[in-house]
Amino acid sequence: MSPGAWRHERDTPSLSEVFRTIAVGGGTTHFRRFLSFIGPGYLVAVGYMDPGNWATSLAGGAAFGYTLLFVALLSNIMAILLQSLCARLAVASGRDLAQACRDAYPRWVSIPLWIFAELAIIATDLAEVIGTAIGLNLLFSIPLEIGIFITAADVFLILWLQNKGFRWVEAFIIALLGTITACFAVLIAQADPEWSAVIAGFAPSREIIGNPDMLYLALGIIGATVMPHNLYLHSGIVQTRAYGLDLPSKREALRLATWDSTIALMFALTINASILILAAAAFHTVGETNVAEIDKAHLLLEPLLGSQIAPILFGLALLCSGLNSTVTATMAGQIVMEGFVRLRLQPWLRRLITRGFAILPATVVILIYGSEGTGQLLILSQVVLSFQLPFAIVPLVMFTASRAKMGPMVSPRWLTALCVLIAITIIVLNVNLLITVLA
């Protein structure tokens, strides 16, 4: 074994029930082969528009108008490059990020990494429980304390989808994303933003650095964008495609998988930008600059836009976002558990365990503090994710930069350099956010 190579041979893949189950036609056109790779990127994109991101985008648009659109764009570019490394790791090594950590490090390193990853999955699920429960409350007036228990029933939906095949899971996710997009298209049309100001918002501004309040929200947007579970998820679900194992086929698979995730993440940018644009057009322009709570934004939409359907569309988009994130967090949890410790549980059992850890604190906070406490709980979930992020990003960058581990598909130096810079930036910003929130 050469220095720097993997310490252990490859084991049974995570998500073995869907591993290499989607055919990639060898004799078909390049476009049709690309179509067979469409799907994983959209599952990854869900994590970049989950309920945990809504609060920062709403607050940023309400407080500072369109200025922070540049930050949303910048964080999206960071995400695109990091997710491309996930696809590279999967295709080149045949391992997801959890398996790579297990095979590269001794147990005294890999076990703590597993524990941190599990905490990140629980924190992610916590935000989804709250978001879905708020969505149910906004649409159907279901009390939050009941809504969070209804969210546990999604395990049956996920089980049904997985039994029908992975393409059904992807189709479900894409359908919900389409619903979210349609909702925001109508909302933005009703809000009638100033499009010249929207375009100007995507340009960098010195004010972002010079204004401490704006900088804090900018840090929150970036810190809430790149989420640890997405790095594990993408490196696992790319391997649902049965691409060839020779070098040219692997290179093509990497290229098509990267295009899939890039296009999907640009789609995610349109959703995140839409939330910010809606907040800027509906709230900032009329002086409602202090809108951070999701339910408060919902209440203000009807009187400000003069439309009864606006709050319904907002609640529907939030509910779809929560359901979407639930499915992807479940798969990420399976990948983490199977990859790090080779522990294989039935998907429904794994789902109930994870959701149980998320439901308990949500229930306690709602019973004691009411709906006002959910905002603080969302912040806490982001703090946990911020704490875990370096333990996912640093190994990913190190593995993909190692020729001994990646062979001829090692990351180009320019890509490694950019991702090192991104990793340092995200880690510094997240540590800053962590210190600010805890201070």
Side-chain angles (χ1 to χ4, degrees), residues 42-252:
Y42 291 89
L43 270 68
V44 171
V46 165
Y48 293 93
M49 60 180 88
D50 78 330
N53 293 328
W54 281 50
T56 52
S57 294
L58 284 171
F64 303 111
Y66 307 106
T67 307
L68 292 179
L69 283 171
F70 168 73
V71 178
L73 174 61
L74 179 64
S75 61
N76 208 71
I77 293 171
M78 292 178 173
I80 286 172
L81 292 175
L82 288 174
Q83 295 297 160
S84 75
L85 290 190
C86 294
R88 182 176 294 272
L89 175 67
V91 173
S93 73
R95 295 169 171 85
D96 57 61
L97 180 57
Q99 291 173 322
C101 290
R102 183 196 66 206
D103 291 347
Y105 300 131
R107 287 180 63 83
W108 63 269
V109 175
S110 64
I111 293 300
L113 289 178
W114 169 56
I115 294 172
F116 290 143
E118 291 287 1
L119 290 174
I121 297 293
I122 293 170
T124 301
D125 209 43
L126 180 60
E128 288 147 14
V129 165
I130 294 171
T132 306
I134 292 175
L136 290 170
N137 176 260
L138 298 183
L139 286 176
F140 308 111
S141 301
I142 297 174
L144 290 178
E145 56 268 26
I146 296 176
I148 59 175
F149 284 99
I150 293 177
T151 63
D154 62 30
V155 65
F156 301 107
L157 170 65
I158 296 166
L159 188 61
W160 178 73
L161 287 171
Q162 288 184 332
N163 287 338
K164 291 184 73 68
F166 198 73
R167 273 301 204 187
W168 279 82
V169 176
E170 294 173 344
F172 176 75
I173 293 293
I174 291 173
L176 288 181
L177 290 177
T179 303
I180 295 170
T181 303
C183 289
F184 274 107
V186 175
L187 286 170
I188 288 178
Q190 292 180 339
D192 192 23
E194 185 182 344
W195 289 107
S196 60
V198 170
I199 295 171
F202 284 104
S205 169
R206 291 182 181 178
E207 189 182 1
I208 296 174
I209 298 176
N211 184 329
D213 293 331
M214 191 179 293
L215 179 60
Y216 174 73
L217 273 178
L219 297 179
I221 290 172
I222 294 176
T225 297
V226 182
M227 303 176 75
H229 80 284
N230 263 339
L231 304 179
Y232 295 103
L233 175 68
H234 196 195
S235 59
I237 60 177
V238 162
Q239 298 180 67
T240 57
R241 270 53 184 175
Y243 48 82
L245 299 180
D246 57 284
L247 185 58
S249 297
K250 283 186 173 184
R251 290 193 185 279
E252 182 189 49

Side-chain angles (χ1 to χ4, degrees), residues 318-383:
L318 178 61
L319 182 60
C320 289
S321 175
L323 287 173
N324 251 349
S325 303
T326 281
V327 176
T328 57
T330 298
M331 285 185 285
Q334 286 180 255
I335 290 168
V336 164
M337 181 173 283
E338 294 177 10
F340 271 109
V341 292
R342 297 186 178 94
L343 180 58
R344 300 183 184 278
L345 298 177
Q346 289 293 326
W348 64 268
L349 180 58
R350 163 75 206 193
R351 183 71 196 136
L352 286 179
I353 292 172
T354 305
R355 177 110 319 175
F357 279 114
I359 284 177
L360 183 60
T363 305
V364 171
V365 168
I366 288 172
L367 290 176
I368 296 176
Y369 300 104
S371 60
E372 293 79 9
T374 58
Q376 294 301 315
L377 204 54
L378 278 174
I379 292 174
L380 176 62
S381 71
Q382 299 307 305
V383 170

